[in-house]
Amino acid sequence: MYAVFKRELFSFLSSMVAYITIGVFLLVSGLLLWFFPDTSLLDYGYADLAGFFSLVPYLFMFLIPAITMRSFAEERREGTYELLITRPITVWQIVIAKYLSSLLLVLFSLIPTVIYYYSISKLGFPEGNIDTGAVIGSYIGLFLLGAAFTSIGLFASALTKNQVIAFVICAALCAFAFLGFDYSSQLISLQNIEGLISGLGINQHYNSISRGVLDTRDLIYFITFSVLFLLFTKLVIGGKR
């Protein structure tokens, strides 16, 4: 399992795709946070990273599909998939190893953004005037969101051998999981169960954690969501095996 994890991680880091993908993510987030007038913190005038944490989920909808699209699709396209599944390792261990390597890459892309917290803390008046608890909670929420999206990405990559198709499927499923339930709850015919429908989506639970409140219901939701899509991936891979 460790061998699969290490192979998956270093094969991604040895290509330019990893650095371009993470670089574009950091560049776009930096431009949105500091330069674009509609989202700039300098124009906002408050030492608060709430705008950043509200933008990153939409960037994740493109970053994480780019990271996960090659997980199983490339194996099948290059013909190494057959070698992998005939090794003395279970399908579940293969899925978990690839999941952890992709999730570690998502974590790598988030680490440089900590400098935004340091910058805002220094720019605040007085210095350090920032809600650290809310920032920590928001980073935990981002990590859990990344974990959920990564599980979707593995599932999408297991469905096809074409990486572009896997990217599109993952981006569409992430967008629906994050926004689809909120929009569905606003339909006239569903207004009576609006809270139930919106509670099925990721957005409500992510916003709850981003306020700095770690509710066990939100943690259980993200863990269950990730495990469910990993189970779907295992079923797809097991069927193809």
Side-chain angles (χ1 to χ4, degrees):
M1 185 173 175
Y2 175 71
V4 176
F5 167 82
K6 185 171 66 173
R7 170 181 172 271
E8 186 74 11
L9 180 63
F10 284 98
S11 66
F12 194 83
L13 291 177
S14 63
S15 66
M16 288 299 296
V17 177
Y19 304 101
I20 293 175
T21 301
I22 296 175
V24 169
F25 167 75
L26 294 175
L27 176 63
V28 173
S29 63
L31 290 174
L32 289 172
L33 193 61
W34 299 104
F35 294 101
F36 290 175
D38 293 336
T39 56
S40 173
L41 286 175
L42 299 178
D43 292 339
Y44 182 57
Y46 292 92
D48 185 16
L49 282 174
F52 169 72
F53 291 114
S54 64
L55 290 171
V56 172
Y58 299 95
L59 299 180
F60 268 7
M61 294 178 191
F62 298 94
L63 169 70
I64 293 179
I67 290 176
T68 59
M69 65 181 183
R70 62 193 300 276
S71 297
F72 289 103
E74 187 177 32
E75 297 272 11
R76 295 172 61 194
R77 183 178 62 85
E78 294 185 352
T80 57
Y81 175 76
E82 289 77 8
L83 294 175
L84 179 64
I85 62 175
T86 54
R87 297 296 180 185
I89 183 174
T90 65
V91 175
W92 189 247
Q93 288 175 318
I94 294 173
V95 172
I96 294 297
K98 286 182 173 288
Y99 175 73
L100 293 178
S101 64
S102 298
L103 188 58
L104 186 60
L105 291 171
V106 175
L107 182 62
F108 284 163
S109 67
L110 281 179
I111 290 175
T113 64
V114 176
I115 195 173
Y116 300 153
Y117 165 76
Y118 177 78
S119 302
I120 292 298
S121 178
K122 289 296 183 181
L123 290 172
F125 182 79
E127 185 175 310
N129 183 26
I130 186 172
D131 190 348
T132 302
V135 172
I136 294 175
S138 296
Y139 269 110
I140 293 175
L142 273 185
F143 179 76
L144 293 173
L145 179 68
F149 281 1
T150 301
S151 65
I152 294 176
L154 284 186
F155 171 69
S157 182
L159 293 175
T160 176
K161 64 175 64 177
N162 189 308
Q163 294 186 39
V164 176
I165 296 177
F167 179 95
V168 173
I169 293 174
C170 178
L173 289 176
C174 289
F176 179 79
F178 189 74
L179 299 171
F181 290 96
D182 288 342
Y183 289 137
S184 298
S185 66
Q186 297 173 7
L187 296 176
I188 297 176
S189 59
L190 299 178
Q191 284 183 349
N192 294 331
I193 54 173
E194 179 179 349
L196 177 62
I197 297 297
S198 60
L200 295 175
I202 293 178
N203 192 22
Q204 178 175 313
H205 299 277
Y206 171 72
N207 289 332
S208 177
I209 294 179
S210 296
R211 290 193 293 267
V213 179
L214 293 179
D215 193 323
T216 54
R217 291 173 296 182
D218 298 322
L219 297 177
I220 292 173
Y221 172 85
F222 279 106
I223 293 173
T224 304
F225 187 97
S226 300
V227 171
L228 185 63
F229 269 93
L230 290 178
L231 180 60
F232 289 159
T233 305
K234 177 182 178 295
L235 293 175
V236 172
I237 296 302
K240 294 181 184 298
R241 186 174 187 175

